[in-house]
Amino acid sequence: MAIEGSANMIGYGLAAIGPGVGIGLIFAAYINGVARQPEAQGRLQTIAILGFALAEALAIIGIALAFVL
């Protein structure tokens, strides 16, 4: 029985769950922090965007590897 399609994409779909959950946790912590201490919004926003970029970079690297391998 042959598998049609690319098993790499199935693997990437499963691997994308990690960055997705990570991004959700980053912004949940950001919203919680701003709700508790509104005057720290500027500093928390910078940290949240940096965390988002790093987590998203993992997903982008994963899709590139899925296509290459």
Side-chain angles (χ1 to χ4, degrees):
M1 179 170 272
I3 297 176
E4 296 200 18
S6 179
N8 289 345
M9 292 301 137
I10 294 171
Y12 173 69
L14 293 173
I17 293 171
V21 170
I23 290 169
L25 290 174
I26 289 167
F27 284 110
Y30 168 69
I31 291 169
N32 193 13
V34 171
R36 290 176 183 257
Q37 202 168 14
E39 64 272 6
Q41 179 183 5
R43 182 176 176 128
L44 291 175
Q45 185 175 10
T46 304
I47 295 170
I49 291 173
L50 179 63
F52 167 75
L54 292 174
E56 190 66 25
L58 291 174
I60 291 170
I61 291 169
I63 191 99
L65 288 176
F67 280 118
V68 170
L69 299 176

